[in-house]
Amino acid sequence: MASSAISSPAPANPPLRFPRQLAIFGLLLVCEFFYGWAWNTVDVLRPFLRQALGLSLLEAGSVYSAQGAGALIGAIVIGQMADRFGRRRMLATLVVGYGVMLLSGVAVASYVELLVQRFLLGFFAGASFPVVVGIYVNLFSPTMRGRLAGMLNATFSLSIVMLGVGMSAVSAPDWRLLLWIGGLPPLALALVALVLIPAGSPVDLVQRATTRLPIGELFAPGLRRQTLMLAAMTGLNFFGYAAFSGWLTTYLTGERGLSTAVAGELVAWQFGGNIVGGFFWGWAADRFGRRFNAVGFGIASLAIIGFLLAPSDPLLLKLLGLLYGSALCSSVIWGPWMAELYPRHLQSTAASIFNWGRVISFFAPLITAQIASNFGLRTAMFTAAAAFSSAAVLWLMQRETLTR
């Protein structure tokens, strides 16, 4: 039988005081920043990695695939361990893990070593989402969870901005300094997590005696259909993003003939929309319910169609890109919502469903490249609108969890 909606955080005994709740969430924000820093070095520092190790374009691209594969496995494995052994210890473990793995990049001297290093970094970083969700959904009331998710989304985006600033500030021979900057603070953050989060509290751990793995419970008879539909929804989300955003600069500079500078500005507008949209959709999910945000995927689909059919007017394309980036962030509520759809002792495992969609992202470039070779790149990018629309339908087919 499917679980009922979770209407309140698990009660703490004794209850956490408000200053400590704020301190724990502040810690999560800082951890999110350095998680974003570590994760995005694979893209932002790619030119330096290629030059230092003599990588081809194919080898450089495969490094992200290795990191993504690690993230998928890490989310599943550590997400379950968080529900079984405690989110406090797992948060400290994964923060130390991606900090150490980022620092190890300083010593990487070959392509094979880089693949291993990025896989392990992805393993720990990929677990950040489900573990962090499992903590903050038990900190405050359900009517605040969307806004909390929006703040975490903005913090992740801020880390990308600061990493870009750091990249522009260092000279090419000194690029490894950015690995030190991003890798050392997490070692201290892990200790703070152990001190700040009460051991054994519902924020840390919801125990339940069972011989089954937590992930097995997601496929119990009353939950199997829901779990499969959520996995399909996240997969369509990753496919849509890869089909449109993944090819965007190639499309703008190739098919449209725009300069790289203009293409970069258009991407920046989408990025700005992503930050603003996270706050709006977080508020909307807290005000109107989790399923309401499916509207965002419908808007994103229309924005994609408009973008691909619009003339090459930079201002018009910027506005459409801003709309797309803002609407795409409606999924900011997925972490709390997935945790709410399942019993409390499965919250981190349930949130890991978001990462299951990464399996699709491994194949999306190959599928869209084949479509592009046969029917043109614009046709391949149109499939993103179909993917997001389909994901919105699956979203609306799920039950609402927000109760007032």
Side-chain angles (χ1 to χ4, degrees):
M1 182 177 182
S3 62
S4 60
I6 297 174
S7 58
S8 62
N13 187 23
L16 295 179
R17 294 189 176 185
F18 187 65
R20 191 163 194 172
Q21 290 175 304
L22 287 179
I24 292 174
F25 188 70
L27 169 67
L28 297 182
L29 288 175
V30 179
C31 290
E32 186 77 6
F33 178 89
F34 285 103
Y35 151 59
W37 184 291
W39 180 269
N40 289 290
T41 52
V42 71
D43 288 327
V44 176
L45 301 184
R46 185 174 296 176
F48 296 136
L49 290 169
R50 285 193 64 202
Q51 183 178 14
L53 301 177
L55 304 179
S56 66
L57 287 174
L58 179 60
E59 288 173 332
S62 66
V63 173
Y64 184 88
S65 296
Q67 183 170 294
L72 172 62
I73 297 172
I76 294 173
V77 173
I78 299 182
Q80 293 184 84
M81 294 176 68
D83 284 335
R84 182 64 66 87
F85 303 113
R87 295 161 193 141
R88 169 179 168 270
R89 283 185 289 183
M90 288 303 106
L91 177 64
T93 298
L94 70 89
V95 169
V96 167
Y98 65 66
V100 170
M101 286 302 105
L102 186 62
L103 291 174
S104 70
V106 174
V108 166
S110 70
Y111 171 59
V112 173
E113 290 179 4
L114 181 62
L115 288 178
V116 174
Q117 180 248 347
R118 283 292 158 175
F119 176 85
L120 292 174
L121 190 153
F123 178 83
F124 291 106
S128 179
F129 182 81
V131 174
V132 167
V133 166
I135 292 174
Y136 77 77
V137 296
N138 287 300
L139 276 177
F140 300 101
S141 69
T143 54
M144 295 182 63
R145 291 172 184 167
R147 282 164 286 183
L148 297 178
M151 293 176 65
L152 287 161
N153 174 77
T155 302
F156 182 89
S157 298
L158 176 63
S159 71
I160 304 174
V161 174
M162 296 309 297
L163 184 58
V165 171
M167 179 181 176
S168 64
V170 302
S171 59
D174 299 325
W175 66 271
R176 290 179 178 83
L177 177 63
L178 298 176
L179 302 182
W180 288 102
I181 293 173
L184 286 175
L187 306 184
L189 291 174
L191 296 176
V192 175
L194 293 174
V195 172
L196 200 56
I197 300 175
S201 71
V203 173
D204 169 40
L205 173 66
V206 179
Q207 283 185 314
R208 183 182 180 189
T210 177
T211 58
R212 299 184 65 181
L213 289 173
I215 196 171
E217 295 189 57
L218 300 187
F219 292 93
L223 296 173
R224 184 183 300 117
R225 181 175 180 270
Q226 172 180 286
T227 299
L228 292 174
M229 291 179 68
L230 290 174
M233 182 186 73
T234 63
L236 288 167
N237 168 63
F238 277 103
F239 181 93
Y241 184 84
F244 184 75
S245 299
W247 291 106
L248 184 59
T249 54
T250 302
Y251 169 73
L252 291 173
T253 56
E255 304 272 324
R256 293 273 186 156
L258 299 176
S259 67
T260 54
V262 173
E265 291 177 4
L266 292 173
V267 171
W269 274 64
Q270 289 188 24
F271 182 76
N274 185 276
I275 296 176
V276 176
F279 286 109
F280 170 77
W281 290 109
W283 168 82
D286 285 341
R287 179 66 179 83
F288 303 110
R290 313 321 192 192
R291 295 167 72 248
F292 174 83
N293 281 24
V295 172
F297 271 23
I299 296 173
S301 298
L302 293 176
I304 289 170
I305 295 172
F307 191 98
L308 295 173
L309 295 178
S312 297
D313 179 349
L315 179 58
L316 178 58
L317 293 179
K318 286 177 181 177
L319 293 175
L320 288 169
L322 180 70
L323 180 63
Y324 163 75
S326 301
L328 198 60
C329 268
S330 62
S331 63
V332 73
I333 194 59
W334 278 3
W337 179 52
M338 289 176 182
E340 293 167 353
L341 283 168
Y342 293 86
R344 288 193 177 103
H345 69 281
L346 295 175
Q347 286 175 333
S348 288
T349 304
S352 74
I353 295 174
F354 175 80
N355 283 282
W356 298 5
R358 292 188 185 278
V359 174
I360 303 298
S361 69
F362 298 151
F363 302 100
L366 299 176
I367 296 172
T368 52
Q370 187 62 42
I371 295 174
S373 64
N374 292 328
F375 304 102
L377 183 55
R378 188 170 73 161
T379 300
M381 295 174 72
F382 270 123
T383 63
F388 286 125
S389 297
S390 300
V393 172
L394 291 177
W395 194 339
L396 291 171
M397 291 174 67
Q398 305 302 311
R399 61 189 174 84
E400 182 57 62
T401 58
L402 183 67
T403 57
R404 290 182 177 274

